[in-house]
Amino acid sequence: MKLDPATIERLKAKIAVYREFLKNWLEPSNLAQLRPKLEFQTGVLAGFALIASVLLGVTNCSTEGTIQRRLDEDLKKSLEEVVPAALYDNDMLQDTLTIPSAEYNIGANETTVYIAKKSGQVSAVCFKFIAPDGYSGAINMIMGIDRNANILGVRVLSHKETPGLGDKIEVAKSDWILNFVGRSLDNLAPAKWAVKKDGGEFDQFAGATITPRKSVQAIYRGLQLFKAHQEQLINP
Amino acid sequence: MFLSETYRKIAADGIWNNNIVFGQNLALCPLLAVTGTATNGLGMGLATLVVIIASNGLISVARHLIPGEIRIPIFVLLIAALVTLVDILMNAWAHELYKVLGLFIALIVTNCALLGRAEAFASKQPVRHALWDGLMMGLGFLLVLVALGAAREISASGTLFANASVLLGESFRFLEVTVIPNYKGFLLMALPPGGFIMLAFLIVGKRLIDQKLATRKVSVTVLTPVIAEEEA
């Protein structure tokens, strides 16, 4: 569409009028007169609320995809921590199965299991679980289990345990969590799934018993969850 | 000096005289919560610095529009929106940093210092003063955060700026120092009570320095007439 010079001139004049009006309206002296008026106050509050919501809405929508990709990358990194690279050649993020887990007290009613496959055959599974009863809140963990129900690895993703005492469950702070590699419900009796203080197999920490105790119990419950669904998971 | 009197006064207020923590005793919630290590303090300080400059600037720009009766809801709305915006953008574009700082970003909303600066300064001052005030108040807060974090970290675990490379990138690994080798650790300082104890020491330190400065000023003013008399 082409505008003839006369129309452009008219539009320019119109814009100039609006600009003049806005400029006068925004004069501090004019605003000072308006500020005590109730309808002005309502309008300003609504205006600010509108601007804030639009800004946040637009930002949220335009970054949603990017954030999801970042979270996927994080998840992938954690999966790679607990399932050795030699065991799979598929994209575990895409190969998932959701199983009910409400009765296992691992923090969620449904657990998403990531399936590791090598040449089409299930080699291992991996899922996140939670010890809801840590010393100072939930302990988020992830565990990899091979098709014969042996633990491939466990890692703590996040926790709020006492720094210097309970945080030895992190692999960065101590190698305690590596003691679980190779364990399974078959090669360790149920009574041994406890800290040494309770007659079990695993060390507690000096000054912190609850954190490792609850972690061991949660890992045990995680294994039970796997056991209950083993057939369904490894022979889909 | 290249700065005019006003700017110098704002800077001195922000960093020392009327420091958010030492002068106004504000922002203690985020302060005590995150200063377990100097690195965490630095991260929180940087995030707060960005938000306080932006909020001061925005509120100053809109100061004639905002009626006194509804200023508080508008300030809260603006600050909350800004913090959420920073939170979302960082999560998307600076994800590694966000994983370290993410927890602190939302905490900025609880930082009453932002509302305090909006109310006491930005809503009454021209934009350039408000921006400068935000920068200086933010810097003052950052300094306290780093100082408190460093003091707690050294006394708790004998290190300084541990994990700084995670926050700032590999090139800042040189900041990570072990101050006391083979340190057994002093857990109390890493826990919340340690924050209160160390903050008390820092405040005492600041008061002592102020006192010393004040007596020096007094002695100068007292001495001058004496000398003058002798000369006369």
Side-chain angles (χ1 to χ4, degrees):
Chain A
M1 193 176 82
K2 252 201 168 151
L3 295 170
D4 61 286
T7 328
I8 292 176
E9 276 310 305
R10 230 174 330 143
L11 279 174
K12 268 188 181 162
K14 226 171 200 174
I15 290 170
V17 169
Y18 283 129
R19 272 178 66 176
E20 191 60 29
F21 171 78
L22 200 64
K23 211 176 133 203
N24 288 336
W25 190 78
L26 281 173
E27 275 299 311
S29 55
N30 178 49
L31 289 174
Q33 281 180 357
L34 288 172
R35 277 200 301 266
K37 291 186 181 152
L38 191 61
E39 56 272 26
F40 177 78
Q41 297 181 355
T42 319
V44 166
L45 192 54
F48 273 104
L50 187 72
I51 295 170
S53 346
V54 168
L55 213 59
L56 287 178
V58 168
T59 321
N60 188 38
C61 288
S62 58
T63 53
E64 213 167 19
T66 324
I67 291 175
Q68 192 53 49
R69 269 201 303 284
R70 297 284 184 273
L71 292 179
D72 282 351
E73 283 165 18
D74 286 350
L75 178 59
K76 207 166 168 182
K77 248 183 241 160
S78 340
L79 293 176
E80 284 164 1
E81 286 259 317
V82 293
V83 179
L87 281 183
Y88 63 94
D89 51 16
N90 65 329
D91 180 4
M92 279 192 270
L93 289 185
Q94 302 304 325
D95 244 331
T96 65
L97 210 68
T98 304
I99 54 177
S101 58
E103 57 195 284
Y104 294 93
N105 187 23
I106 51 167
N109 291 333
E110 282 191 330
T111 297
T112 305
V113 181
Y114 304 92
I115 315 257
K117 285 179 185 162
K118 182 91 180 182
S119 327
Q121 200 202 18
V122 177
S123 56
V125 302
C126 178
F127 55 90
K128 289 199 231 180
F129 61 106
I130 294 170
D133 44 7
Y135 184 67
S136 31
I139 305 171
N140 291 293
M141 295 190 269
I142 190 165
M143 171 158 67
I145 304 174
D146 72 11
R147 57 179 289 128
N148 302 318
N150 300 309
I151 294 180
L152 290 167
V154 191
R155 289 291 180 279
V156 171
L157 297 174
S158 64
H159 70 88
K160 301 192 207 68
E161 303 303 288
T162 317
L165 295 177
D167 63 355
K168 294 196 183 73
I169 51 174
E170 288 174 40
V171 77
K173 302 274 161 67
S174 108
D175 52 12
W176 179 81
I177 199 104
L178 301 178
N179 283 321
F180 291 94
V181 177
R183 309 278 188 185
S184 76
L185 294 179
D186 300 323
N187 65 23
L188 198 62
K192 287 284 172 189
W193 282 95
V195 291
K196 284 189 173 141
K197 207 182 211 172
D198 304 336
E201 176 72 20
F202 303 96
D203 284 330
Q204 59 269 3
F205 310 138
T209 310
I210 295 175
T211 306
R213 177 187 287 151
K214 296 301 178 185
S215 306
V216 172
Q217 288 169 359
I219 293 168
Y220 181 67
R221 291 195 300 271
L223 279 175
Q224 284 179 320
L225 169 69
F226 172 76
K227 194 86 179 169
H229 295 272
Q230 190 170 7
E231 272 311 305
Q232 178 198 355
L233 287 171
I234 63 175
N235 298 315
Chain B
M1 273 299 262
F2 66 100
L3 291 172
S4 74
E5 189 61 36
T6 325
Y7 284 91
R8 248 181 300 164
K9 189 176 175 316
I10 294 174
D13 270 350
I15 291 179
W16 188 262
N17 296 336
N18 197 22
N19 182 291
I20 288 177
V21 178
F22 291 153
Q24 308 173 50
N25 286 325
L26 289 177
L28 297 185
C29 157
L31 177 81
L32 294 167
V34 305
T35 50
T37 66
T39 309
N40 281 359
L42 182 65
M44 180 69 177
L46 289 175
T48 310
L49 181 69
V50 171
V51 178
I52 198 173
I53 294 175
S55 87
N56 259 13
L58 262 179
I59 285 164
S60 178
V61 166
R63 67 189 187 281
H64 294 300
L65 267 174
I66 302 172
E69 291 86 345
I70 54 162
R71 66 191 190 284
I72 300 290
I74 290 182
F75 294 162
V76 172
L77 185 70
L78 278 177
I79 292 170
L82 264 175
V83 171
T84 316
L85 213 61
V86 171
D87 188 86
I88 296 176
L89 290 176
M90 251 180 96
N91 195 358
W93 304 116
H95 193 67
E96 289 306 310
L97 195 60
Y98 183 79
K99 276 195 276 184
V100 185
L101 278 187
L103 200 71
F104 312 147
I105 306 282
L107 266 179
I108 298 176
V109 180
T110 69
N111 192 335
C112 38
L114 274 80
L115 194 60
R117 286 333 281 168
E119 166 80 9
F121 196 92
S123 59
K124 303 180 181 116
Q125 299 282 345
V127 179
R128 51 184 198 286
H129 287 177
L131 287 173
W132 181 249
D133 178 72
L135 178 67
M136 286 303 144
M137 283 289 163
L139 274 180
F141 187 52
L142 180 115
L143 288 176
V144 177
L145 280 163
V146 173
L148 186 59
R152 283 177 71 185
E153 190 182 347
I154 292 175
S155 53
S157 56
T159 59
L160 189 58
F161 283 110
N163 295 328
S165 55
V166 181
L167 176 68
L168 301 164
E170 269 309 305
S171 46
F172 283 88
R173 190 171 280 283
F174 71 90
L175 279 176
E176 299 176 15
V177 198
T178 304
V179 182
I180 314 171
N182 297 322
Y183 190 54
K184 286 275 181 279
F186 182 33
L187 184 63
L188 176 69
M189 297 319 288
L191 297 177
F196 282 103
I197 294 169
M198 198 49 95
L199 179 63
F201 280 123
L202 288 186
I203 290 179
V204 168
K206 197 250 180 190
R207 291 273 157 88
L208 284 179
I209 295 174
D210 278 347
Q211 227 166 44
K212 208 152 237 178
L213 291 176
T215 50
R216 192 189 292 167
K217 249 182 216 159
V218 169
S219 60
V220 168
T221 46
V222 169
L223 276 179
T224 352
V226 176
I227 296 165
E229 267 173 26
E230 277 176 359
E231 277 173 355

